[in-house]
Structures are given as C-alpha cells and as structure tokens.
Amino acid sequence: MTSSSSSSQATKRLAHTYPEGLRADALMEEDVAWSHEIDGERDGDQFDRSERAALRRVAGLSTELEDVTEVEYRQLRLEQVVLVGVWTSGTVQDAENSLAELAALAETAGAVVLDGVIQRRDKPDAATYIGSGKADELRDIVLETGADTVICDGELSPGQLIHLEDIVKVKVIDRTALILDIFAQHAKSREGKAQVALAQMQYMLPRLRGWGQSLSRQMGGGSGGLATRGPGETKIETDRRRIREKMAKMRREIADMKTGREIKRQERRRHKVPSVAIAGYTNAGKSSLLNRLTGAGVLVENALFATLDPTVRRAETPSGRLYTLADTVGFVRHLPHHLVEAFRSTMEEVGDSDLILHVVDGSHPNPEEQLAAVREVIRDVGATGVPEIVVINKADAADPLVLQRLLRIEKHSIAVSARTGRGIAELRALIDNELPRPSVEIEALVPYTHGKLVARAHTEGEVISEEHTAEGTLLKARVHDELAADLAPYVPAAAL
C-alpha cells in the first residue's frame, strides 16, 4: 500500500517537471539509471557492442620468450629396456653378438638399452624362460636400473610371457614382437602395411589374455530366458574370432596386391627382361648398392630394417643389355616363420629372379653367420636354384684378413664398397656375364620400315654389330626364340 502511493507521487512529480512529450524518456532514464556504488559490483565491466565482439588476447598463454620468463624444455622419454638372453649353444662370443644385435634392434625401435644379461642353459626354462631364481635376479636388476621393459632374445610362449611378467613386474616382450614393432614403424606402402598387420595378428592370436568377468560376458545354450545352460562364447573367444576374420580379410587384400605385381613380372618376362634380386642381412648395405648401381635414390640409413618395401629399378649392363634390379626386405637371424609367411609375396622377387646378389657386411664381426641366416630364408622361399653372387660390401671398413677369408671360402664372390664405389665396375661386368644370354645368334637385313624389330633386338637381346646399308639395317645379334622367328624372313639367303 505504501509502495503504490509513493509510486503515484513520483509520477505526479514527473508530470509537473516534464512536458507531455518527454515524460516517457524521463521514465526510461529513471528506470535505467545506473550508479557505480550500487550496480558496479553486480554488473561488472560494461562493453560496447564492438568491444564485446572483438578478439581479446589472453595474457600469459604464449610460449614466446617475451611472455614467459622461464621456459622448460621437456624431452620425449624413450622406453628404457633390459635385455635378457639364453646361451644354449656356440661360444660366448656368439651369445654376446646375438645380444648386441638385439640391442641394435631395440635402439632402432626407439628404446634406450640400460643393461644386458646372458644365462647359460641347456634349453630355455619352460615356465619363465630363464628359471625362477634368475627371474628374481632380473627383477632386482630392473629395480636397480629403473627399466620399464624387458626384452628376451628369443620367442617366448604365452605361458613364459605371463610368468616372467608376474615376477619382474614390468612389461616383457620377445625378439619377434620387437621386430614386428620395427616393421610397423618402417612400412610405408599399402602392401607393406598389410603384411605387417597380418604378421602382428598371427603373433597376437595365441597370446590374447582376459581378466575377471570379461572371460564370460555372453550367455548361451538353451532357448533363452533365465534358465540357460551356462556361458556361451566368452569375451576372449570373441576377440579371437574377430582377429581370425581380420586375418582372412588381410590375406585376401594381399593376394589382390600380389596379382598386380605378378602382372608386372609377366610383362617383364614377355619382353625377356632379365631380373636381378638383391638379398642379404639387414643393414648390410643393400639399398646403398641399389642406389650405386641404378641411382634409385632409396632411403639409406644406418639402422636395421630401414627400408622394408621392395623397390624395382631398371639398370643396364656394360654391353647395353637391360635388366631389372629389385631390393628386398632385409633378413635377420632367428627370423620367425610367420614373418616369412607374411612377407612371402614380397620375397617372391628373389625366387623369380635370374640372379641373386647376396650382400653381406664385410665389417661385421661374424659375416659367415649372416650368410647362413640369409641362405636359410632363401631356402624357405624356394629360391635355391637361382644363381648367386656373394657381394662383400663395406670393403673400405672391413678387416683385410676377413675379406681374404670370405673371398677364399665363397668361390663366386666380389668385394665392393657402395659408399666409395670400389669394385662397382667389376660387379657390373660380373652381372653381365652371369645373366642368361639369348640362345639364338642371328644375322638379318631388316628394312627401315621395320625399325621396331631393331629396337626389340636392343631391348630384348644382345646386339653384336649393327650396320646401316642402302637396303636396311644389317643386324647381328643374340636374341630369344620368339624374336628370332620374327627376324627369320629378313635373314639373307647366304647366311642360311
């Protein structure tokens, strides 16, 4: 009652103060009247429309030195590992070389090696790979060094993996998982990625594990409802089924990609182009040799499995014959069988070639072991019948006594240096002599209107002599049977 009377009195005062036309403006001014003491704390800062829509810089978020007084540079923390090997045969030097190679693999994968230990045993322990007592000692080493991963120099069974992890309390992987990790990092092509994925799934399938209720998540049996006969497909079985389905799909994709490469090979065979495959141990210098022979520009790096995808380039012998040179995936000792299976389509380049350049690192402490490991894989892919030239690379860094020993043991060998170019000319001449030559020697007077036959003789055969006469090109060459039949109508009667 009091408020309404006071409001009516204010209205009367306004009526006396302002004319009729300005009364509404005065009322509005009184309604929106703002005082800093009363409304400032409630409303906060007031901005115009342009100021509200403008971009406002937030101080202190920039990492430039003028905005930040102290800049902390954080370095990516690499995985820190301890290596474990079981020495079952050979000398202690062989065991140490194997562990040194495992260390190189770990560094290639991006880890920091803190320590490495070897245990002498007749065979690996079935439960923990190194035995329960040595596993306890390994746990102490892990705690002392602060490692977060243990890498075993061998392929662990699922049971060994679980038991060893339970004791050392950190992640445990084996040599196969490490190689697969490197392959996954270095695969660039679609086929290479598919082959790595297939190999990883083959490795993962028997090592799947489940925990707690996830082992029996689905119900099965009976006709549904409350009274079922028990658990149906468990979670781990579901995972295995999905992995098998993915593996089947991956095999189909690889088979389709294999068809495309087979078509290219058939085209080279149709044109009778000889093929040479470069095979060898990883980091032996295969890509460097390919670059030296063809100028391919393939990645060269002092790392294991730096190049994973095969590369095919065209090259020419000193006599002018064309051939293809294929760089294949590098091999390593104890290469798991399922890796060979996954990369079989890539390794077919070796089996289908006319000549193998078997590259070995002459500066390696044990090159003979590298030769044996590569020949084992070549035997697995069925390429034992292909002629082989042993190319002892890195001759500039190798011990001269080691070079002499290898050249004496390997009768069909040559020492080269892809870095300096030493021996490359002799290697080209050796390739020219070893490549299969066309079987038919023919002399023909080819009319100028059939110049394609002369061009085919240069690309598909070996031209001995060529003379341009008034009637046409007098050609003397070694060619294959098909081209010889096409040139037969132009053979002079005196040559028959």
Side-chain angles (χ1 to χ4, degrees), residues 13-121:
R13 286 198 303 270
L14 287 170
H16 288 294
T17 307
Y18 297 98
E20 183 70 24
L22 300 177
R23 187 177 300 164
D25 294 337
L27 286 170
M28 183 172 292
E29 287 175 4
E30 184 173 337
D31 289 343
V32 300
W34 183 88
S35 65
H36 182 77
E37 293 81 5
I38 300 173
D39 299 320
E41 186 176 351
R42 182 189 65 198
D43 292 342
D45 295 333
Q46 303 294 307
F47 297 101
D48 293 338
R49 182 182 297 274
S50 59
E51 291 178 340
R52 287 200 306 269
L55 293 174
R56 295 192 294 276
R57 187 178 299 278
V58 180
L61 293 187
S62 174
T63 57
E64 295 293 330
L65 292 179
E66 58 263 28
D67 291 338
V68 180
T69 55
E70 290 184 3
V71 180
E72 180 184 1
Y73 293 96
R74 290 189 178 90
Q75 205 172 21
L76 180 64
R77 184 178 181 276
L78 299 176
E79 204 159 356
Q80 302 189 21
V81 301
V82 171
L83 310 180
V84 181
V86 173
W87 170 26
T88 58
S89 62
T91 64
V92 65
Q93 186 64 41
D94 296 335
E96 290 178 356
N97 288 341
S98 181
L99 208 67
E101 183 178 272
L102 186 68
L105 287 169
E107 290 173 359
T108 302
V112 176
V113 179
L114 301 179
D115 204 351
V117 292
I118 302 173
Q119 189 201 9
R120 180 71 163 126
R121 295 180 66 95

Side-chain angles (χ1 to χ4, degrees), residues 196-206 243 246-247 250:
V196 171
L198 177 60
Q200 285 177 323
M201 284 186 285
Q202 284 177 323
Y203 174 80
M204 188 192 311
L205 187 60
I243 287 178
K246 288 182 180 179
M247 287 170 60
M250 207 67 68

Side-chain angles (χ1 to χ4, degrees), residues 266-289:
Q266 288 177 356
E267 189 71 12
R268 293 197 294 266
R269 291 194 202 104
R270 189 171 67 85
H271 291 291
K272 306 298 180 183
V273 179
S275 62
V276 178
I278 302 178
Y281 213 78
T282 180
N283 209 32
K286 299 184 299 300
S287 298
S288 300
L289 186 64

Side-chain angles (χ1 to χ4, degrees), residues 14 46 110 153 235 325-326 334 441 483:
L14 287 170
Q46 303 294 307
D153 191 16
K235 175 67 168 60
L325 200 61
H334 310 311
E441 185 172 331
L483 183 55

Side-chain angles (χ1 to χ4, degrees), residues 190 442 493:
R190 179 167 169 256
I442 192 170

